[in-house]
Amino acid sequence: MAVAVYAGSFDPFTLGHLDILKRSCEIFDKVLVGVAYNPEKTSLLRPEERADIIKLCTMDFTDIEVFSYEGLTVDFAKKHNASVLIRGLRNSADFEYENQLAQINLSLNKNIQTVFLSSKPEHCFISSTSVRELISHKCNLSDFVPEPAKNYLYKKFGY
């Protein structure tokens, strides 16, 4: 059984994240979504909230589990017997960063490979950073986040 980890901050979870996750489920038997907690980052949402939003957005999936975690992603993957890390790429700058990270992860654990999935063109411009900016101005989020995420964010931030 091929188990993969799709890890990130998902602050907040976007349509691009959902697309990468859906496509990962077509490739792997099971996908574990790891919601990373990084104490050095200022987050819009707590890790538990981010995990809850992803669970709402993936309720119809039977091959996904969502977890919050601290520490290294390779350690999270090893703990859950995953052999693959999934990373989404929007552009060449993402590739440069993600490739460097993949090499570091490979040096930490030779048994865990990284698979890159390119974003669909309609999602290449969406980033969690831009969505956070839109939220700060109470903009319409329909073109950027899945419906359950939009409803959660509207309620939380008083739209």
Side-chain angles (χ1 to χ4, degrees):
M1 176 183 220
V3 178
V5 168
Y6 182 36
S9 59
F10 305 114
D11 187 36
F13 190 69
T14 68
L15 288 171
H17 293 136
L18 182 60
D19 178 60
I20 295 293
L21 186 53
K22 284 180 179 178
R23 290 167 43 213
S24 297
C25 289
E26 294 171 4
I27 300 168
F28 301 100
D29 298 317
K30 186 176 211 173
V31 178
L32 308 177
V33 180
V35 178
Y37 171 68
N38 183 346
E40 295 178 17
K41 271 184 150 179
T42 302
S43 298
L44 180 69
L45 302 165
R46 294 184 330 273
E48 301 79 22
E49 291 178 295
R50 291 180 260 150
D52 288 345
I53 288 171
I54 296 168
K55 289 174 186 174
L56 288 171
C57 294
T58 60
M59 286 180 18
D60 296 335
F61 293 78
T62 58
D63 46 359
I64 292 174
E65 290 183 55
V66 182
F67 300 88
S68 296
Y69 75 98
E70 287 186 55
L72 297 175
T73 301
V74 290
D75 293 340
F76 173 78
K78 182 178 180 181
K79 176 182 173 185
H80 291 280
N81 299 312
S83 59
V84 175
L85 301 177
I86 299 161
R87 303 302 296 172
L89 302 174
R90 292 172 297 164
N91 52 44
S92 59
D94 279 356
F95 175 76
E96 293 298 325
Y97 171 77
E98 294 295 346
N99 187 49
Q100 180 182 19
L101 190 59
Q103 297 305 317
I104 292 168
N105 287 334
L106 190 58
S107 73
L108 294 172
N109 188 326
K110 304 269 187 257
N111 297 317
I112 299 178
Q113 302 298 316
T114 300
V115 171
F116 299 115
L117 294 177
S118 295
S119 293
K120 289 184 177 176
E122 61 267 28
H123 299 131
C124 284
F125 68 96
I126 301 173
S127 70
S128 292
T129 302
S130 61
V131 173
R132 287 192 302 271
E133 178 73 13
L134 295 172
I135 291 168
S136 74
H137 297 285
K138 295 196 181 328
C139 294
N140 183 340
L141 303 177
S142 298
D143 292 337
F144 307 98
V145 300
E147 189 74 18
K150 179 185 84 170
N151 294 337
Y152 186 99
L153 294 165
Y154 282 5
K155 184 175 179 180
K156 179 169 178 74
F157 296 104
Y159 273 65

